[in-house]
Amino acid sequence: MTDEKIIQLDMGTVDSNVHSVRPTVCLGIESSCDETSAAIVDSDRNVLAHIIYSQIPEHQKYGGVVPELAARAHILAIDAVINQALAKANKTIDDIDVIAATAGPGLIGGVLVGWMAATGIAQSTGKPLVAVNHLEGHALVPRLRATMANGADGDVVVDFPYLLMLASGGHCQILLVRGVGQYELIGQTLDDSAGEAYDKVAKMLGLGYPGGPVVDMRAKSGNPKAFAFPRPLCDKGGCDFSFSGIKTAARTFLSKANTELTDEYINDFCASFQAAVVDCIINRLANAMKDERVRMAAPKTLVVAGGVAKNSAIRSAMERLAAKNKMLFAAPPMNLCTDNGAMIAWAGLENYAVGRVVHEPVAPRPRWPLTEL
Ligand code: KG4
Ligand code: ZN
């Protein structure tokens, strides 16, 4: 990695000694949904260890995440996951400069497990602690690693400000990311998130949980014009989303299918559903680019993040939209799109660099809009 690709973190008044000698090392912990994850990342953008324990197999038979099961599974996994991360990085807790953990939003039982583990480590070692907003983890991780299209090859740093499509299982928002802790909401869903729509449609088709990856895969062999899914709100201005109409249409189409669902039917259904989701995202993003606040900020890069950012059709459509508007397009690598500890460690480092550390007890929050940061 060349020097210009490395983000120079100004350690400010927090602990300038540490950074002048070597990069700052952060242990990041994520436990807000169904992944127990810990990562060790340094301020030179090296991911020294990244352990993700996915609970998906435990929730699959219920067709979605069961909060009580998730909380219990986090309790059972958290110590081992943290210890594995330290061992993999060949570090002890003494080598860590900052502890960061998700403090919300998310399933509160799980958030509590990770946050209490982090608080315990920070208190017993006297190390600084950062309370990371999970959405901020998704929003900032493209600055740790992103592949940028129509420009440079390989990894490059995404500079502020950027226009972000944050699409996950729990959220669907267009944000103007001006800096660390500076997120302007340009549009958001009025009902379901994009990930939820994928998961629910997959469930209707009997494709299991999580729905995104399998619908994405099925869509590749289907006809996107086979079913006329609606494009809610696309005939109106603004940047908000609505996916509930697409979901209702899915239910209506399926209720009319009086034969057994063939592979061809399912593939066509997935392709048509996905085409509607992609059209909505592109329509809303195109409006966002015309938004006065966005035009004034003139972001150079269009970025996608969150679990749904793994979607190949969404990535390519956004890349085309960016090129059309003379913007760069950037997306994190696949393993940094869905929930992971590296994004929390990185957001921890970025917050630490600007002095946003915890000075008094913090209560984890099930709801915590980014705009409240
Ligand atoms: O960010 P994430 O791991 O969890 C939340 O913070 O919510 O996102 C999980 C969501 C799930 O809804 C999953 O179905 C969706 O991301 N997802 C995808 C794909 N891979 C995962 N959606 C569309 N296409 C994909 N390839
Ligand atoms: Zn997430």
Side-chain angles (χ1 to χ4, degrees):
M1 192 176 296
T2 57
D3 280 344
E4 64 272 19
K5 288 181 181 171
I6 295 172
I7 294 176
Q8 293 301 320
L9 292 179
D10 173 14
M11 300 314 297
T13 55
V14 180
D15 194 354
S16 45
N17 272 341
V18 175
H19 192 62
S20 59
V21 181
R22 57 171 176 79
T24 308
V25 181
C26 181
L27 163 67
I29 301 171
E30 157 60 28
S31 61
S32 67
C33 191
D34 55 355
E35 267 92 25
T36 319
S37 179
I40 298 176
V41 176
D42 74 23
S43 52
D44 281 350
R45 301 168 79 232
N46 296 305
V47 179
L48 307 174
H50 195 190
I51 308 292
I52 304 179
Y53 163 64
S54 173
Q55 305 173 4
I56 287 175
E58 293 168 58
H59 298 287
Q60 244 154 5
K61 53 180 173 290
Y62 303 101
V65 181
V66 183
E68 290 77 11
L69 287 184
R72 227 172 301 153
H74 284 303
I75 291 173
L76 294 177
I78 192 89
D79 287 349
V81 165
I82 294 171
N83 287 332
Q84 276 177 39
L86 287 167
K88 181 95 193 288
N90 204 14
K91 302 231 176 269
T92 69
I93 204 69
D94 291 340
D95 303 317
I96 303 296
D97 301 310
V98 198
I99 320 288
T102 300
L107 299 174
I108 195 65
V111 176
L112 264 166
V113 174
W115 180 245
M116 293 324 290
T119 307
I121 298 171
Q123 283 186 353
S124 60
T125 57
K127 293 187 189 278
L129 176 65
V130 180
V132 175
N133 178 304
H134 177 84
L135 299 174
E136 188 175 33
H138 282 303
L140 293 179
V141 77
R143 286 167 52 78
L144 168 63
R145 286 271 187 294
T147 306
M148 206 177 275
N150 48 340
D153 291 332
D155 282 356
V156 279
V157 172
V158 176
D159 289 322
F160 297 125
Y162 50 93
L163 186 64
L164 174 70
M165 177 73 234
L166 200 170
S168 68
H171 295 84
C172 184
Q173 305 181 333
I174 299 175
L175 294 152
L176 178 59
V177 182
R178 294 182 186 272
V180 180
Q182 297 171 45
Y183 309 96
E184 195 153 339
L185 187 64
I186 306 297
Q188 65 182 325
T189 184
L190 305 176
D191 39 59
D192 292 347
S193 70
E196 228 172 321
Y198 269 95
D199 294 339
K200 286 178 179 166
V201 164
K203 196 169 181 177
M204 289 179 211
L205 293 168
L207 296 178
Y209 173 83
V214 59
V215 171
D216 187 7
M217 198 252 295
R218 291 285 200 146
K220 289 190 172 83
S221 336
N223 171 8
K225 298 212 165 100
F227 295 87
F229 277 93
R231 270 73 172 156
L233 299 179
C234 289
D235 53 345
K236 297 193 171 64
C239 307
D240 288 335
F241 298 87
S242 169
F243 291 108
S244 67
I246 299 184
K247 203 180 59 190
T248 309
R251 202 168 288 123
T252 310
F253 290 139
L254 281 171
S255 69
K256 289 183 187 149
N258 39 23
T259 54
E260 205 183 309
L261 305 187
T262 60
D263 271 344
E264 192 188 351
Y265 181 100
I266 293 175
N267 295 348
D268 287 350
F269 200 94
C270 290
S272 304
F273 159 78
Q274 182 158 287
V277 173
V278 171
D279 283 354
C280 291
I281 289 177
I282 297 305
N283 176 283
R284 307 283 88 188
L285 279 172
N287 285 355
M289 287 173 179
K290 293 181 209 134
D291 182 284
E292 192 57 22
R293 292 162 295 177
V294 176
R295 279 164 23 108
M296 293 294 286
K300 287 197 185 67
T301 315
L302 177 65
V303 179
V304 67
V308 181
K310 276 188 166 175
N311 189 280
S312 42
I314 293 173
R315 283 183 180 234
S316 5
M318 281 184 62
E319 189 177 334
R320 285 194 298 274
L321 178 72
K324 208 169 127 194
N325 287 276
K326 301 195 169 34
M327 287 174 83
L328 297 166
F329 170 71
M334 297 296 180
N335 69 333
L336 298 183
C337 290
T338 32
D339 293 348
N340 66 87
M343 71 182 194
I344 302 305
W346 179 252
L349 283 165
E350 293 241 51
N351 275 280
Y352 180 65
V354 295
R356 292 164 81 105
V357 294
V358 161
H359 293 294
E360 46 197 55
V362 166
R365 299 173 58 172
R367 283 182 51 75
W368 186 8
L370 262 186
T371 42
E372 281 182 21
L373 284 182

PDB file of all heavy atoms in Angstrom, residues 50-79:
ATOM      1  N   HIS A  50      -9.599 -10.865  12.080  1.00  0.00           N
ATOM      2  CA  HIS A  50     -11.036 -10.612  11.890  1.00  0.00           C
ATOM      3  C   HIS A  50     -11.775 -11.924  12.083  1.00  0.00           C
ATOM      4  O   HIS A  50     -11.710 -12.809  11.218  1.00  0.00           O
ATOM      5  CB  HIS A  50     -11.275 -10.049  10.486  1.00  0.00           C
ATOM      6  CG  HIS A  50     -12.626  -9.441  10.317  1.00  0.00           C
ATOM      7  ND1 HIS A  50     -13.137  -9.050   9.103  1.00  0.00           N
ATOM      8  CD2 HIS A  50     -13.592  -9.157  11.223  1.00  0.00           C
ATOM      9  CE1 HIS A  50     -14.336  -8.548   9.270  1.00  0.00           C
ATOM     10  NE2 HIS A  50     -14.636  -8.609  10.554  1.00  0.00           N
ATOM     11  N   ILE A  51     -12.460 -12.053  13.205  1.00  0.00           N
ATOM     12  CA  ILE A  51     -13.178 -13.296  13.500  1.00  0.00           C
ATOM     13  C   ILE A  51     -14.679 -13.005  13.453  1.00  0.00           C
ATOM     14  O   ILE A  51     -15.157 -12.074  14.102  1.00  0.00           O
ATOM     15  CB  ILE A  51     -12.817 -13.837  14.918  1.00  0.00           C
ATOM     16  CG1 ILE A  51     -11.293 -13.948  15.099  1.00  0.00           C
ATOM     17  CG2 ILE A  51     -13.528 -15.164  15.192  1.00  0.00           C
ATOM     18  CD1 ILE A  51     -10.610 -15.000  14.248  1.00  0.00           C
ATOM     19  N   ILE A  52     -15.394 -13.770  12.649  1.00  0.00           N
ATOM     20  CA  ILE A  52     -16.855 -13.614  12.598  1.00  0.00           C
ATOM     21  C   ILE A  52     -17.475 -14.963  12.907  1.00  0.00           C
ATOM     22  O   ILE A  52     -17.263 -15.930  12.166  1.00  0.00           O
ATOM     23  CB  ILE A  52     -17.350 -13.130  11.214  1.00  0.00           C
ATOM     24  CG1 ILE A  52     -16.656 -11.822  10.819  1.00  0.00           C
ATOM     25  CG2 ILE A  52     -18.868 -12.945  11.219  1.00  0.00           C
ATOM     26  CD1 ILE A  52     -17.056 -11.285   9.448  1.00  0.00           C
ATOM     27  N   TYR A  53     -18.228 -15.006  14.000  1.00  0.00           N
ATOM     28  CA  TYR A  53     -18.987 -16.220  14.286  1.00  0.00           C
ATOM     29  C   TYR A  53     -20.429 -15.928  13.902  1.00  0.00           C
ATOM     30  O   TYR A  53     -21.102 -15.098  14.521  1.00  0.00           O
ATOM     31  CB  TYR A  53     -18.851 -16.598  15.773  1.00  0.00           C
ATOM     32  CG  TYR A  53     -19.912 -17.573  16.209  1.00  0.00           C
ATOM     33  CD1 TYR A  53     -19.959 -18.862  15.662  1.00  0.00           C
ATOM     34  CD2 TYR A  53     -20.894 -17.208  17.119  1.00  0.00           C
ATOM     35  CE1 TYR A  53     -20.955 -19.744  16.016  1.00  0.00           C
ATOM     36  CE2 TYR A  53     -21.892 -18.090  17.485  1.00  0.00           C
ATOM     37  CZ  TYR A  53     -21.922 -19.354  16.928  1.00  0.00           C
ATOM     38  OH  TYR A  53     -22.926 -20.213  17.270  1.00  0.00           O
ATOM     39  N   SER A  54     -20.889 -16.558  12.826  1.00  0.00           N
ATOM     40  CA  SER A  54     -22.247 -16.298  12.353  1.00  0.00           C
ATOM     41  C   SER A  54     -23.228 -17.268  12.994  1.00  0.00           C
ATOM     42  O   SER A  54     -23.019 -18.474  13.002  1.00  0.00           O
ATOM     43  CB  SER A  54     -22.308 -16.429  10.834  1.00  0.00           C
ATOM     44  OG  SER A  54     -23.664 -16.324  10.442  1.00  0.00           O
ATOM     45  N   GLN A  55     -24.319 -16.716  13.515  1.00  0.00           N
ATOM     46  CA  GLN A  55     -25.367 -17.557  14.120  1.00  0.00           C
ATOM     47  C   GLN A  55     -26.417 -17.975  13.099  1.00  0.00           C
ATOM     48  O   GLN A  55     -27.418 -18.593  13.479  1.00  0.00           O
ATOM     49  CB  GLN A  55     -26.085 -16.783  15.224  1.00  0.00           C
ATOM     50  CG  GLN A  55     -25.224 -16.217  16.302  1.00  0.00           C
ATOM     51  CD  GLN A  55     -26.056 -15.315  17.234  1.00  0.00           C
ATOM     52  OE1 GLN A  55     -27.269 -15.197  17.092  1.00  0.00           O
ATOM     53  NE2 GLN A  55     -25.395 -14.686  18.186  1.00  0.00           N
ATOM     54  N   ILE A  56     -26.215 -17.634  11.847  1.00  0.00           N
ATOM     55  CA  ILE A  56     -27.275 -17.875  10.851  1.00  0.00           C
ATOM     56  C   ILE A  56     -27.835 -19.300  10.927  1.00  0.00           C
ATOM     57  O   ILE A  56     -29.051 -19.465  10.962  1.00  0.00           O
ATOM     58  CB  ILE A  56     -26.800 -17.496   9.419  1.00  0.00           C
ATOM     59  CG1 ILE A  56     -26.737 -15.971   9.297  1.00  0.00           C
ATOM     60  CG2 ILE A  56     -27.737 -18.054   8.339  1.00  0.00           C
ATOM     61  CD1 ILE A  56     -26.185 -15.449   7.991  1.00  0.00           C
ATOM     62  N   PRO A  57     -26.972 -20.331  11.005  1.00  0.00           N
ATOM     63  CA  PRO A  57     -27.534 -21.689  11.050  1.00  0.00           C
ATOM     64  C   PRO A  57     -28.487 -21.893  12.238  1.00  0.00           C
ATOM     65  O   PRO A  57     -29.464 -22.643  12.122  1.00  0.00           O
ATOM     66  CB  PRO A  57     -26.295 -22.579  11.198  1.00  0.00           C
ATOM     67  CG  PRO A  57     -25.161 -21.754  10.695  1.00  0.00           C
ATOM     68  CD  PRO A  57     -25.511 -20.341  10.984  1.00  0.00           C
ATOM     69  N   GLU A  58     -28.233 -21.182  13.351  1.00  0.00           N
ATOM     70  CA  GLU A  58     -29.101 -21.351  14.523  1.00  0.00           C
ATOM     71  C   GLU A  58     -30.469 -20.702  14.334  1.00  0.00           C
ATOM     72  O   GLU A  58     -31.447 -21.086  14.979  1.00  0.00           O
ATOM     73  CB  GLU A  58     -28.427 -20.758  15.769  1.00  0.00           C
ATOM     74  CG  GLU A  58     -27.179 -21.537  16.166  1.00  0.00           C
ATOM     75  CD  GLU A  58     -26.342 -20.812  17.188  1.00  0.00           C
ATOM     76  OE1 GLU A  58     -26.861 -20.495  18.264  1.00  0.00           O
ATOM     77  OE2 GLU A  58     -25.148 -20.576  16.901  1.00  0.00           O
ATOM     78  N   HIS A  59     -30.531 -19.698  13.459  1.00  0.00           N
ATOM     79  CA  HIS A  59     -31.807 -18.993  13.271  1.00  0.00           C
ATOM     80  C   HIS A  59     -32.567 -19.481  12.046  1.00  0.00           C
ATOM     81  O   HIS A  59     -33.760 -19.219  11.911  1.00  0.00           O
ATOM     82  CB  HIS A  59     -31.553 -17.489  13.137  1.00  0.00           C
ATOM     83  CG  HIS A  59     -30.939 -16.870  14.355  1.00  0.00           C
ATOM     84  ND1 HIS A  59     -31.643 -16.661  15.511  1.00  0.00           N
ATOM     85  CD2 HIS A  59     -29.676 -16.459  14.608  1.00  0.00           C
ATOM     86  CE1 HIS A  59     -30.851 -16.118  16.433  1.00  0.00           C
ATOM     87  NE2 HIS A  59     -29.642 -15.999  15.898  1.00  0.00           N
ATOM     88  N   GLN A  60     -31.848 -20.189  11.160  1.00  0.00           N
ATOM     89  CA  GLN A  60     -32.432 -20.558   9.874  1.00  0.00           C
ATOM     90  C   GLN A  60     -33.763 -21.297   9.998  1.00  0.00           C
ATOM     91  O   GLN A  60     -34.707 -21.019   9.270  1.00  0.00           O
ATOM     92  CB  GLN A  60     -31.442 -21.396   9.071  1.00  0.00           C
ATOM     93  CG  GLN A  60     -31.031 -20.687   7.802  1.00  0.00           C
ATOM     94  CD  GLN A  60     -29.667 -21.128   7.304  1.00  0.00           C
ATOM     95  OE1 GLN A  60     -29.051 -22.043   7.849  1.00  0.00           O
ATOM     96  NE2 GLN A  60     -29.190 -20.472   6.267  1.00  0.00           N
ATOM     97  N   LYS A  61     -33.842 -22.213  10.963  1.00  0.00           N
ATOM     98  CA  LYS A  61     -35.076 -23.006  11.039  1.00  0.00           C
ATOM     99  C   LYS A  61     -36.278 -22.170  11.484  1.00  0.00           C
ATOM    100  O   LYS A  61     -37.411 -22.601  11.339  1.00  0.00           O
ATOM    101  CB  LYS A  61     -34.894 -24.224  11.950  1.00  0.00           C
ATOM    102  CG  LYS A  61     -34.377 -23.972  13.338  1.00  0.00           C
ATOM    103  CD  LYS A  61     -34.269 -25.324  14.080  1.00  0.00           C
ATOM    104  CE  LYS A  61     -33.588 -25.194  15.431  1.00  0.00           C
ATOM    105  NZ  LYS A  61     -32.156 -24.906  15.353  1.00  0.00           N
ATOM    106  N   TYR A  62     -36.035 -20.962  11.998  1.00  0.00           N
ATOM    107  CA  TYR A  62     -37.147 -20.087  12.393  1.00  0.00           C
ATOM    108  C   TYR A  62     -37.456 -19.057  11.300  1.00  0.00           C
ATOM    109  O   TYR A  62     -38.344 -18.231  11.458  1.00  0.00           O
ATOM    110  CB  TYR A  62     -36.820 -19.365  13.709  1.00  0.00           C
ATOM    111  CG  TYR A  62     -36.499 -20.338  14.824  1.00  0.00           C
ATOM    112  CD1 TYR A  62     -35.178 -20.588  15.202  1.00  0.00           C
ATOM    113  CD2 TYR A  62     -37.515 -21.042  15.485  1.00  0.00           C
ATOM    114  CE1 TYR A  62     -34.873 -21.488  16.201  1.00  0.00           C
ATOM    115  CE2 TYR A  62     -37.211 -21.953  16.485  1.00  0.00           C
ATOM    116  CZ  TYR A  62     -35.888 -22.176  16.841  1.00  0.00           C
ATOM    117  OH  TYR A  62     -35.597 -23.073  17.825  1.00  0.00           O
ATOM    118  N   GLY A  63     -36.685 -19.060  10.237  1.00  0.00           N
ATOM    119  CA  GLY A  63     -36.943 -18.156   9.115  1.00  0.00           C
ATOM    120  C   GLY A  63     -36.535 -16.716   9.404  1.00  0.00           C
ATOM    121  O   GLY A  63     -36.915 -15.800   8.676  1.00  0.00           O
ATOM    122  N   GLY A  64     -35.798 -16.484  10.454  1.00  0.00           N
ATOM    123  CA  GLY A  64     -35.344 -15.128  10.782  1.00  0.00           C
ATOM    124  C   GLY A  64     -34.649 -15.148  12.133  1.00  0.00           C
ATOM    125  O   GLY A  64     -34.602 -16.194  12.791  1.00  0.00           O
ATOM    126  N   VAL A  65     -34.126 -13.984  12.540  1.00  0.00           N
ATOM    127  CA  VAL A  65     -33.366 -13.935  13.792  1.00  0.00           C
ATOM    128  C   VAL A  65     -34.312 -13.944  15.001  1.00  0.00           C
ATOM    129  O   VAL A  65     -35.232 -13.133  15.076  1.00  0.00           O
ATOM    130  CB  VAL A  65     -32.482 -12.664  13.842  1.00  0.00           C
ATOM    131  CG1 VAL A  65     -31.674 -12.608  15.133  1.00  0.00           C
ATOM    132  CG2 VAL A  65     -31.558 -12.636  12.644  1.00  0.00           C
ATOM    133  N   VAL A  66     -34.077 -14.856  15.948  1.00  0.00           N
ATOM    134  CA  VAL A  66     -34.858 -14.895  17.189  1.00  0.00           C
ATOM    135  C   VAL A  66     -34.022 -14.180  18.262  1.00  0.00           C
ATOM    136  O   VAL A  66     -32.961 -14.676  18.655  1.00  0.00           O
ATOM    137  CB  VAL A  66     -35.148 -16.366  17.623  1.00  0.00           C
ATOM    138  CG1 VAL A  66     -36.020 -16.388  18.869  1.00  0.00           C
ATOM    139  CG2 VAL A  66     -35.786 -17.138  16.486  1.00  0.00           C
ATOM    140  N   PRO A  67     -34.476 -12.990  18.717  1.00  0.00           N
ATOM    141  CA  PRO A  67     -33.641 -12.174  19.601  1.00  0.00           C
ATOM    142  C   PRO A  67     -33.117 -12.907  20.841  1.00  0.00           C
ATOM    143  O   PRO A  67     -31.940 -12.754  21.187  1.00  0.00           O
ATOM    144  CB  PRO A  67     -34.571 -11.019  20.002  1.00  0.00           C
ATOM    145  CG  PRO A  67     -35.536 -10.924  18.868  1.00  0.00           C
ATOM    146  CD  PRO A  67     -35.749 -12.324  18.377  1.00  0.00           C
ATOM    147  N   GLU A  68     -33.950 -13.702  21.506  1.00  0.00           N
ATOM    148  CA  GLU A  68     -33.493 -14.379  22.743  1.00  0.00           C
ATOM    149  C   GLU A  68     -32.394 -15.380  22.420  1.00  0.00           C
ATOM    150  O   GLU A  68     -31.396 -15.489  23.135  1.00  0.00           O
ATOM    151  CB  GLU A  68     -34.646 -15.119  23.441  1.00  0.00           C
ATOM    152  CG  GLU A  68     -35.699 -14.217  24.067  1.00  0.00           C
ATOM    153  CD  GLU A  68     -36.654 -13.621  23.031  1.00  0.00           C
ATOM    154  OE1 GLU A  68     -36.635 -14.075  21.856  1.00  0.00           O
ATOM    155  OE2 GLU A  68     -37.384 -12.681  23.383  1.00  0.00           O
ATOM    156  N   LEU A  69     -32.584 -16.122  21.333  1.00  0.00           N
ATOM    157  CA  LEU A  69     -31.548 -17.092  20.940  1.00  0.00           C
ATOM    158  C   LEU A  69     -30.260 -16.369  20.590  1.00  0.00           C
ATOM    159  O   LEU A  69     -29.160 -16.811  20.924  1.00  0.00           O
ATOM    160  CB  LEU A  69     -32.004 -17.895  19.717  1.00  0.00           C
ATOM    161  CG  LEU A  69     -33.089 -18.944  19.912  1.00  0.00           C
ATOM    162  CD1 LEU A  69     -33.315 -19.690  18.607  1.00  0.00           C
ATOM    163  CD2 LEU A  69     -32.671 -19.918  21.012  1.00  0.00           C
ATOM    164  N   ALA A  70     -30.417 -15.252  19.915  1.00  0.00           N
ATOM    165  CA  ALA A  70     -29.237 -14.482  19.488  1.00  0.00           C
ATOM    166  C   ALA A  70     -28.465 -14.017  20.711  1.00  0.00           C
ATOM    167  O   ALA A  70     -27.239 -14.174  20.781  1.00  0.00           O
ATOM    168  CB  ALA A  70     -29.664 -13.285  18.644  1.00  0.00           C
ATOM    169  N   ALA A  71     -29.165 -13.460  21.700  1.00  0.00           N
ATOM    170  CA  ALA A  71     -28.484 -12.935  22.890  1.00  0.00           C
ATOM    171  C   ALA A  71     -27.721 -14.062  23.586  1.00  0.00           C
ATOM    172  O   ALA A  71     -26.560 -13.893  23.976  1.00  0.00           O
ATOM    173  CB  ALA A  71     -29.503 -12.311  23.842  1.00  0.00           C
ATOM    174  N   ARG A  72     -28.365 -15.222  23.728  1.00  0.00           N
ATOM    175  CA  ARG A  72     -27.717 -16.346  24.409  1.00  0.00           C
ATOM    176  C   ARG A  72     -26.474 -16.811  23.619  1.00  0.00           C
ATOM    177  O   ARG A  72     -25.429 -17.097  24.182  1.00  0.00           O
ATOM    178  CB  ARG A  72     -28.707 -17.497  24.570  1.00  0.00           C
ATOM    179  CG  ARG A  72     -28.679 -18.051  25.988  1.00  0.00           C
ATOM    180  CD  ARG A  72     -29.777 -19.054  26.225  1.00  0.00           C
ATOM    181  NE  ARG A  72     -31.118 -18.509  26.021  1.00  0.00           N
ATOM    182  CZ  ARG A  72     -32.166 -19.241  25.667  1.00  0.00           C
ATOM    183  NH1 ARG A  72     -32.042 -20.517  25.427  1.00  0.00           N
ATOM    184  NH2 ARG A  72     -33.371 -18.682  25.531  1.00  0.00           N
ATOM    185  N   ALA A  73     -26.631 -16.875  22.308  1.00  0.00           N
ATOM    186  CA  ALA A  73     -25.498 -17.318  21.474  1.00  0.00           C
ATOM    187  C   ALA A  73     -24.338 -16.325  21.559  1.00  0.00           C
ATOM    188  O   ALA A  73     -23.169 -16.719  21.566  1.00  0.00           O
ATOM    189  CB  ALA A  73     -25.954 -17.489  20.033  1.00  0.00           C
ATOM    190  N   HIS A  74     -24.649 -15.034  21.643  1.00  0.00           N
ATOM    191  CA  HIS A  74     -23.575 -14.036  21.798  1.00  0.00           C
ATOM    192  C   HIS A  74     -22.830 -14.264  23.108  1.00  0.00           C
ATOM    193  O   HIS A  74     -21.597 -14.193  23.149  1.00  0.00           O
ATOM    194  CB  HIS A  74     -24.140 -12.611  21.793  1.00  0.00           C
ATOM    195  CG  HIS A  74     -24.539 -12.110  20.436  1.00  0.00           C
ATOM    196  ND1 HIS A  74     -23.661 -12.057  19.381  1.00  0.00           N
ATOM    197  CD2 HIS A  74     -25.715 -11.637  19.959  1.00  0.00           C
ATOM    198  CE1 HIS A  74     -24.290 -11.563  18.319  1.00  0.00           C
ATOM    199  NE2 HIS A  74     -25.539 -11.308  18.645  1.00  0.00           N
ATOM    200  N   ILE A  75     -23.596 -14.530  24.190  1.00  0.00           N
ATOM    201  CA  ILE A  75     -22.956 -14.750  25.502  1.00  0.00           C
ATOM    202  C   ILE A  75     -21.980 -15.921  25.408  1.00  0.00           C
ATOM    203  O   ILE A  75     -20.847 -15.853  25.886  1.00  0.00           O
ATOM    204  CB  ILE A  75     -24.019 -15.040  26.597  1.00  0.00           C
ATOM    205  CG1 ILE A  75     -24.844 -13.782  26.871  1.00  0.00           C
ATOM    206  CG2 ILE A  75     -23.354 -15.536  27.899  1.00  0.00           C
ATOM    207  CD1 ILE A  75     -26.020 -13.988  27.815  1.00  0.00           C
ATOM    208  N   LEU A  76     -22.435 -16.987  24.748  1.00  0.00           N
ATOM    209  CA  LEU A  76     -21.600 -18.190  24.670  1.00  0.00           C
ATOM    210  C   LEU A  76     -20.351 -17.959  23.808  1.00  0.00           C
ATOM    211  O   LEU A  76     -19.317 -18.578  24.036  1.00  0.00           O
ATOM    212  CB  LEU A  76     -22.408 -19.363  24.109  1.00  0.00           C
ATOM    213  CG  LEU A  76     -23.563 -19.856  25.000  1.00  0.00           C
ATOM    214  CD1 LEU A  76     -24.346 -20.957  24.318  1.00  0.00           C
ATOM    215  CD2 LEU A  76     -23.024 -20.353  26.351  1.00  0.00           C
ATOM    216  N   ALA A  77     -20.469 -17.080  22.816  1.00  0.00           N
ATOM    217  CA  ALA A  77     -19.371 -16.948  21.843  1.00  0.00           C
ATOM    218  C   ALA A  77     -18.392 -15.825  22.136  1.00  0.00           C
ATOM    219  O   ALA A  77     -17.237 -15.881  21.704  1.00  0.00           O
ATOM    220  CB  ALA A  77     -19.963 -16.754  20.450  1.00  0.00           C
ATOM    221  N   ILE A  78     -18.854 -14.800  22.851  1.00  0.00           N
ATOM    222  CA  ILE A  78     -18.088 -13.541  22.855  1.00  0.00           C
ATOM    223  C   ILE A  78     -16.633 -13.678  23.333  1.00  0.00           C
ATOM    224  O   ILE A  78     -15.717 -13.178  22.673  1.00  0.00           O
ATOM    225  CB  ILE A  78     -18.849 -12.425  23.636  1.00  0.00           C
ATOM    226  CG1 ILE A  78     -18.213 -11.062  23.378  1.00  0.00           C
ATOM    227  CG2 ILE A  78     -18.913 -12.699  25.143  1.00  0.00           C
ATOM    228  CD1 ILE A  78     -18.774 -10.360  22.203  1.00  0.00           C
ATOM    229  N   ASP A  79     -16.423 -14.383  24.443  1.00  0.00           N
ATOM    230  CA  ASP A  79     -15.047 -14.477  24.969  1.00  0.00           C
ATOM    231  C   ASP A  79     -14.127 -15.185  23.972  1.00  0.00           C
ATOM    232  O   ASP A  79     -13.002 -14.744  23.707  1.00  0.00           O
ATOM    233  CB  ASP A  79     -15.026 -15.228  26.316  1.00  0.00           C
ATOM    234  CG  ASP A  79     -15.596 -14.367  27.431  1.00  0.00           C
ATOM    235  OD1 ASP A  79     -15.797 -13.161  27.196  1.00  0.00           O
ATOM    236  OD2 ASP A  79     -15.859 -14.914  28.525  1.00  0.00           O
TER     237      ASP A  79
END
